């Protein structure tokens, strides 16, 4: 079984790399098709532009540029920025921004998952009391209100009115500055996980094997944590991957609102100013996050549900 | 409670809160399960058999309420006093009774095992909860139990998940789980209904052997009279939340008294049956109050009084009693002719078989 799992992993990683190559190609084609160029100063004359294009290799055919870029990427060189921070290497540009975005995203994911599971389990156990409709209403709001509305609400009430946390990102308090953006981003995962966990727990708790466990005399805590939760988690894991997409797109908006100097903010600027290398690199990173997260969810899935693990081993 | 009994139920009443109001599901049920013997509870689906046994183990859903009656559990020989289970809280029943004194084998082995837990762990769980074994001893005992219920590669089975076993194997594993906590009363809720016919007999044989070896008291719920004939010492026939007839296996099969029992027996096919009889109509809706005898509308032998008030329980012998006015004032009506012939035929076949 371990061998089958290893072979499966190798196959998945190979497909992931191919996917990433295609994504970079699509980015090349799209950026090329966009009107304008990275060099748009009014004072630039035609011959100066020619020199600039030659200098950065932008006069070469698209495919040649693509393969040249790929060969640099393998060596860890993502090129330089054309106009945001002129001639600065992108690897250096991302040194501060990448950890910041990852930190906010992870905090949001962890917060959303823990709160979502707690609320879901609680409302399933208190099924039929006032708590249950309360959690249902909360998760409805959480999944239907977009993250930027939460962001603005948090800014107004917590940062501005109560003065608890920084309104905008500040270098003086980098840790505290990530809290509000994380909370804003956590709302959606929290709401979806709470809703699904609740309905799954309710259906699992009324299943025959829970009755069997009760007939064995398993105490209520054992019923919930040893028997019910694991079975209820299987479907919850399936929605984790699509939720990551929401986190990524949500982070672009939320980072901009809180003026967080992260990937999201940079990506928006880069696309607007035709800074090809920066946009391609960030898109590449986003895709790599997403693909590896999917892979992790997939492996976890097999770990939680033995039926899936074995079916995979056979194929 | 009587010394020879392992469990007694007195005048149990259970109601269910439904969207259409309160339904009286169990209406004054009394049962006695003799130690080391098998009591069968027979009846159509919806007659309340399952609810009755679930109430013993506090496994009823939240909308159910025990309105009255007592459930007495005999203390272990020479150790404890009998306990009235209805006076205990749900938690106390879980802690002191379930698995430890009483355990249950369910109908559908495909859905009754936890799909994400290894079989071995599910068996060991009960031992670790109720015994003072350490993990290693529990594991050895679990392997021994799996051997005992006839699973060939018991060590392998310990590390398997339920979906890797066949239906019959899963029911064997479920029986091992039921035995794991050391219970002396086994409740069998339609233990063979969901199994292939070829597997059914093997499981019944296994249950009989285990019952003898571990001197277990069994309470068997079924609508399959063939299973009852094979397994039961005493039988209680249930209809619409009441016991309408109870007696020894011989009483019920050879001298059935209640028209409902007649109907049940007439509806089993045998070699000489030309046309099968069935009981006309449907069981009553228990969410509405029942006036008189619940079976009267379906009963060709019903008397006028049966529609007005409930018939009394009439003892026919020391072991046999029936809830029917046909037996009032010492009257003993004849069996329907076809049923009488059928019983004679079965008796003859049975005596040839021996």
């Amino acid at each position: 079984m371990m061998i089958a799992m290893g072979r499966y992993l190798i196959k998945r990683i190979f497909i992931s790399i191919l996917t990433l190559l295609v994504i970079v190609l699509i980015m090349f084609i799209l950026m090329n098709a966009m009107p304008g160029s990275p060099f748009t100063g009014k004072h630039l004359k035609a011959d100066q532009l020619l020199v600039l294009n030659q200098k950065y290799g932008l006069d070469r055919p698209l495919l040649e540029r693509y393969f040249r870029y790929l060969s640099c990427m393998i060596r860890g060189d993502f090129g330089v920025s054309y106009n945001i921070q002129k001639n600065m290497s992108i690897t250096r540009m991302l040194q501060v921004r990448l950890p910041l975005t990852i930190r906010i995203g992870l905090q949001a994911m962890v917060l959303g998952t823990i709160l979502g599971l707690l609320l879901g389990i609680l409302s399933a156990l208190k099924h039929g009391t006032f708590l249950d409709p309360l959690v249902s209403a909360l998760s409805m709001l959480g999944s239907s209100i977009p993250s930027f509305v939460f962001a603005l609400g948090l800014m107004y009430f917590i940062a501005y009115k109560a003065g608890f946390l920084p309104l905008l990102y500040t270098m003086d308090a980098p840790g505290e500055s990530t809290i509000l953006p994380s909370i804003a981003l956590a709302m959606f995962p929290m709401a979806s996980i709470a809703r699904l966990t609740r309905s799954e727990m309710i259906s699992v708790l009324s299943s025959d094997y829970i009755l069997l466990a009760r007939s064995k005399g398993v105490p209520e805590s054992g019923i919930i944590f040893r028997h019910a939760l694991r079975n209820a988690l299987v479907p919850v894991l399936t929605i984790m991957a699509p939720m990551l997409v929401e986190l990524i797109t949500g982070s672009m908006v939320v980072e901009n609102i809180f003026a967080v100097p992260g990937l999201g903010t940079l990506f928006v600027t880069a696309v607007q100013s035709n800074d090809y290398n920066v946009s391609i690199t960030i898109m590449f990173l986003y895709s790599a996050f997403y693909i590896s997260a999917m892979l992790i969810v997939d492996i976890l899935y097999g770990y939680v549900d033995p039926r899936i693990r074995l079916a995979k081993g056979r194929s | 409670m009587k010394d020879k009994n392992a469990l007694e139920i007195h005048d149990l009443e259970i109601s269910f809160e439904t969207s259409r109001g309160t339904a009286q599901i169990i209406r004054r049920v009394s049962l006695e399960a003799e130690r080391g013997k098998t009591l069968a509870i027979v009846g159509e689906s919806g007659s309340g058999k399952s609810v009755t046994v679930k109430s013993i183990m506090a496994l009823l859903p939240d909308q159910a309420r025990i309105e009255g009656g007592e459930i007495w559990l005999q203390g272990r020989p020479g150790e404890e006093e009998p306990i009235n289970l209805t006076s205990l809280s749900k938690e106390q029943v879980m802690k002191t009774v379930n698995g430890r004194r009483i355990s249950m084998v369910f109908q559908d082995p495909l859905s009754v095992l936890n799909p994400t837990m290894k079989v071995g762990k599910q068996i060991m769980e009960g031992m670790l909860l109720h015994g003072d074994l350490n993990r290693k001893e529990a594991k050895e005992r679990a392997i021994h139990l799996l051997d005992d219920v006839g699973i060939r590669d018991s060590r392998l089975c310990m590390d398997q998940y339920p979906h890797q076993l066949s239906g019959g194997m899963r029911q064997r594993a479920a029986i091992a789980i039921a035995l794991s906590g050391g219970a002396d009363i086994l409740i069998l809720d339609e233990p063979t209904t969901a199994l292939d016919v070829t597997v059914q007999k093997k499981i019944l044989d296994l249950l009989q052997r285990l019952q003898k070896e571990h001197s277990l008291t069994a309470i068997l719920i079924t609508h399959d009279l063939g299973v009852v004939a094979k397994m039961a010492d005493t039988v209680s026939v249930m209809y619409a939340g009441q016991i309408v007839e109870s007696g020894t296996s011989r009483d019920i099969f050879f001298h059935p008294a209640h028209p409902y029992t007649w109907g049940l027996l007439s509806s089993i096919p045998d070699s000489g049956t030309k046309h099968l009889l069935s009981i006309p109509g449907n069981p009553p809706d228990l969410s509405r109050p029942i006036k008189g005898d619940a079976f009267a509308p379906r009963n060709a032998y019903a008397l006028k009084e049966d529609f007005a008030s409930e018939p009394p329980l009439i003892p026919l012998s020391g072991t046999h009693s029936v809830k029917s006015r046909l037996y009032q004032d010492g009257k003993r009506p004849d069996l329907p002719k076809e049923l009488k012939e059928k019983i004679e035929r079965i008796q003859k076949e049975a005596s040839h078989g021996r």
Side-chain angles (χ1 to χ4, degrees), chain B residues 116-231:
Chain B
T116 59
M117 199 188 270
K118 285 177 181 167
V119 173
K121 203 174 166 197
Q122 297 193 47
I123 299 174
M124 285 159 62
E125 193 179 24
M127 297 176 187
L128 295 171
L129 275 171
H130 302 301
D132 36 10
L133 302 172
N134 62 33
R135 287 199 80 79
K136 211 175 145 230
E137 291 164 335
K139 193 171 176 191
E140 283 310 309
R141 219 178 94 71
I143 292 171
H144 184 75
L145 262 180
L146 283 173
D147 287 330
D148 210 16
V149 296
I151 286 183
R152 231 169 279 147
D153 201 343
S154 51
R155 273 172 202 279
L156 174 71
C157 183
M158 289 287 288
D159 278 324
Q160 281 181 313
Y161 287 97
H163 69 273
Q164 293 168 284
L165 308 177
S166 69
M169 286 296 151
R170 285 192 222 185
Q171 194 62 311
R172 285 171 195 270
I175 293 169
I177 291 174
L179 297 176
S180 66
D184 52 316
I185 299 177
L186 208 54
I187 294 175
L188 309 167
D189 186 357
E190 308 253 6
T192 53
T193 308
L195 298 174
D196 283 346
V197 188
T198 48
V199 183
Q200 283 185 2
K201 186 172 177 299
K202 289 187 193 154
I203 295 288
L204 292 177
D205 287 340
L206 169 70
L207 286 169
Q208 275 184 319
R209 177 171 66 78
L210 291 171
Q211 188 180 4
K212 206 172 284 167
E213 284 175 9
H214 299 253
S215 45
L216 302 171
T217 307
I219 299 174
L220 169 72
I221 300 180
T222 183
H223 57 257
D224 184 340
L225 289 169
V227 175
V228 178
K230 182 173 164 55
M231 305 283 288

Side-chain angles (χ1 to χ4, degrees), chain A residues 127 207-220 222-223 226-228 230-231 234 303-310 314, chain B residues 54 57 59 94-95 98-100 102-104 106 108 111-117 121-123 125-126 129-130 161 163-164 177 180:
Chain A
H127 189 41
S207 68
D208 278 0
Y209 54 86
I210 294 297
L211 207 59
L212 175 76
R214 292 214 160 104
S215 81
K216 284 197 284 193
V218 176
E220 206 52 32
I223 297 277
R226 267 204 306 275
H227 289 273
R230 186 164 182 175
N231 287 293
V234 177
Y303 174 75
V304 173
D305 192 339
R307 286 166 294 189
I308 294 166
R309 195 186 317 165
L310 282 138
R314 255 182 248 126
Chain B
K54 280 188 181 135
M57 302 180 76
L59 294 178
M94 292 284 162
K95 210 173 156 197
N98 288 6
R100 195 184 281 257
I102 308 176
S103 61
M104 192 152 169
F106 293 84
D108 185 1
S111 64
V112 84
L113 299 177
N114 185 339
T116 59
M117 199 188 270
K121 203 174 166 197
Q122 297 193 47
I123 299 174
E125 193 179 24
L129 275 171
H130 302 301
Y161 287 97
H163 69 273
Q164 293 168 284
I177 291 174
S180 66

Side-chain angles (χ1 to χ4, degrees), chain A residues 21-276:
Chain A
L21 292 183
V22 173
I23 286 169
V24 173
L25 180 63
I26 292 172
M27 276 307 283
F28 256 87
I29 296 170
L30 283 178
M31 295 304 288
N32 202 53
M34 289 243 286
S37 94
F39 316 109
T40 46
K42 277 209 179 89
H43 54 279
L44 283 176
K45 298 199 176 66
D47 51 333
Q48 284 175 307
L49 259 177
L50 205 70
V51 173
L52 273 173
N53 276 338
Q54 248 168 9
K55 182 184 168 199
Y56 291 108
L58 290 174
D59 54 341
R60 318 297 301 174
L62 185 76
L63 272 183
E64 190 191 324
R65 271 158 53 204
Y66 173 64
F67 285 110
R68 194 176 282 181
Y69 192 76
L70 284 188
S71 71
C72 287
M73 245 171 70
I74 291 166
R75 281 175 266 133
D77 175 10
F78 289 88
V80 294
S81 162
Y82 297 140
N83 53 20
I84 297 175
Q85 275 170 294
K86 213 167 191 139
N87 291 337
M88 158 94 86
S89 106
I90 291 174
T91 331
R92 273 197 57 202
M93 278 176 81
L94 296 184
Q95 241 162 30
V96 197
R97 293 164 185 269
L98 185 61
L100 199 57
T101 294
I102 290 182
R103 177 177 179 170
I104 293 175
L106 276 184
Q107 280 174 183
M109 200 70 199
V110 170
L111 187 73
T113 310
I114 291 176
L115 280 181
L117 284 177
L118 276 180
L119 285 176
I121 294 171
L122 212 67
S123 77
L125 293 182
K126 300 286 168 196
H127 189 41
T129 70
F130 76 99
L131 208 76
D132 189 23
L134 193 76
V135 172
S136 293
L138 211 72
S139 54
M140 221 183 27
L141 286 176
S143 51
S144 52
I145 296 177
S147 54
F148 64 84
V149 177
F150 282 118
L152 292 174
L154 288 170
M155 269 177 128
Y156 182 74
F157 288 107
I158 293 181
Y160 177 65
K161 281 276 182 186
F164 269 148
L165 292 160
L167 191 66
L168 295 173
Y169 186 86
T170 136
M171 286 298 187
D172 306 331
E176 284 87 20
S177 302
T178 62
I179 294 176
L180 286 186
S182 297
I183 294 176
L185 274 178
M187 286 302 154
F188 181 77
M190 183 199 80
S192 340
I193 291 176
R195 203 170 35 173
L196 196 61
T197 307
R198 173 186 171 274
S199 66
E200 285 304 317
M201 276 300 270
I202 288 174
S203 87
V204 165
L205 280 173
S206 67
S207 68
D208 278 0
Y209 54 86
I210 294 297
L211 207 59
L212 175 76
R214 292 214 160 104
S215 81
K216 284 197 284 193
V218 176
E220 206 52 32
S221 59
I223 297 277
I224 295 161
F225 293 106
R226 267 204 306 275
H227 289 273
L229 194 56
R230 186 164 182 175
N231 287 293
L233 274 186
V234 177
V236 175
L237 268 179
T238 45
I239 64 157
M240 296 287 260
M243 225 142 54
L244 277 164
V245 185
E246 183 71 17
L247 267 189
I248 289 171
T249 49
S251 78
M252 289 184 206
V253 183
V254 170
E255 278 186 10
N256 270 295
I257 292 176
F258 286 99
V260 176
L263 282 195
T265 325
L266 185 62
F267 186 64
V268 176
T269 323
V271 171
Q272 282 166 348
S273 57
N274 277 321
D275 202 333
Y276 297 155

